[in-house]
Amino acid sequence: MRTMALAATGLAFLALVVLSCPATAAAGIGDWRADQIRQAEEEFASVKVLSRQPLYLADSFPDGAKGLLIGGYPPRTAWFLPPGTPSATQEHYNSYCFSEALVLAQTQDSQSVLTSDDRAILTRTRLKVLDVIKAPPALAAGDQIAVVRFGGEVLDHGERLRVRDDGWSDFSPGHVYLLKLQSVQGRGMDHYFSLIYRETAFADLRLVREWDEFAAGTPYGDVKTELLSLPNRYACPPPR
């Protein structure tokens, strides 16, 4: 087993875990501790897209980095609204009703680690919440959150190792994203986790690209208004 490697990164990935710390937001969220990394490894152990061998033995990317390229997850196909409902409305309904939190956040910094079995990489990004569309009461605008995602890039023993998917976003400092997050229940953790939900970037508070059938260039205010209108038109399913 190799020594765990750390690196700064700006990649975005398939899965999200969020550690929300509103009680200490004024002081900020500290560096990634070893016990938090182990906890994140446990959460992502269910992600069955790991390399079958250590990453430093995996195939190389065109630029020489070794690692794993993950295909995108398929879109959600289960619909709950009446037949004939426009697909965009159904997509927005899924985004709102099946997310524990929907927040607009600005990136601050990132740190990546090679997992203890050398077969995957996890990345932790600290962000400041700018606005909340939907969230538990403990999460509010102005809070700092730490988002842990599956994938990233590290330099380990002189070798560049990388895990990413073909739709990764640039999480470099100062960029603004809308995050869709889903809660992990039953373990006493203030975390969120998702395998298929994607973040989307904003520039001047307009969508950089098409997202959940909102057109590129749509103002954030219009996205928020549409998503907040859904529970008034269609009841969300009760929590499981």
Side-chain angles (χ1 to χ4, degrees):
M1 181 183 299
R2 290 191 165 195
T3 303
M4 182 170 289
L6 302 178
T9 186
L11 301 181
F13 317 103
L14 295 175
L16 300 174
V17 177
V18 173
L19 302 88
S20 174
C21 303
T24 59
I29 295 174
D31 291 335
W32 209 3
R33 301 191 314 267
D35 63 310
Q36 294 173 323
I37 294 172
R38 288 194 299 271
Q39 189 178 49
E41 283 200 46
E42 291 177 5
E43 288 299 326
F44 283 93
S46 62
V47 181
K48 304 300 185 184
V49 288
L50 303 178
S51 173
R52 296 181 179 180
Q53 58 188 345
L55 293 176
Y56 53 84
L57 297 178
D59 294 335
S60 295
F61 287 83
D63 63 1
K66 295 181 179 179
L68 180 66
L69 179 64
I70 306 165
Y73 279 81
R76 182 187 295 275
T77 56
W79 304 118
F80 295 87
L81 300 184
T85 302
S87 62
T89 301
Q90 298 197 63
E91 190 67 50
H92 302 162
Y93 174 88
N94 283 354
S95 295
Y96 185 89
C97 290
F98 296 97
S99 298
E100 183 73 13
L102 282 161
V103 300
L104 189 74
Q106 185 173 40
T107 55
Q108 296 177 330
D109 56 48
S110 296
Q111 185 179 30
S112 292
V113 299
L114 181 65
T115 55
S116 56
D117 60 6
D118 296 337
R119 297 195 304 144
I121 296 171
L122 301 177
T123 295
R124 179 184 193 252
T125 300
R126 292 187 287 197
L127 307 96
K128 181 179 179 180
V129 176
L130 303 178
D131 192 39
V132 170
I133 295 176
K134 175 185 178 182
L139 184 59
D143 288 345
Q144 191 182 68
I145 58 176
V147 178
V148 182
R149 296 174 292 166
F150 181 80
E153 184 171 322
V154 301
L155 182 65
D156 183 44
H157 292 74
E159 290 186 294
R160 281 189 302 133
L161 307 176
R162 180 184 300 153
V163 175
R164 69 171 177 86
D165 72 284
D166 55 8
W168 62 268
S169 301
D170 181 5
F171 261 48
S172 57
H175 288 197
V176 174
Y177 293 88
L178 180 61
L179 305 175
K180 298 193 294 182
L181 309 168
Q182 195 170 28
S183 179
V184 173
Q185 302 291 341
R187 296 191 58 186
M189 295 180 300
D190 191 10
H191 286 188
Y192 299 89
F193 178 70
S194 173
L195 285 177
I196 61 174
Y197 289 161
R198 293 298 190 94
E199 72 288 333
T200 187
F202 283 80
D204 297 324
L205 290 184
R206 291 180 178 272
L207 280 173
V208 170
R209 56 181 172 81
E210 187 275 337
W211 176 81
D212 279 7
E213 299 205 30
F214 287 106
T218 302
Y220 169 71
D222 291 354
V223 174
K224 180 177 180 178
T225 298
E226 167 65 14
L227 293 175
L228 286 176
S229 73
L230 288 164
N232 297 323
R233 290 182 285 159
Y234 306 101
C236 292
R240 294 181 179 179

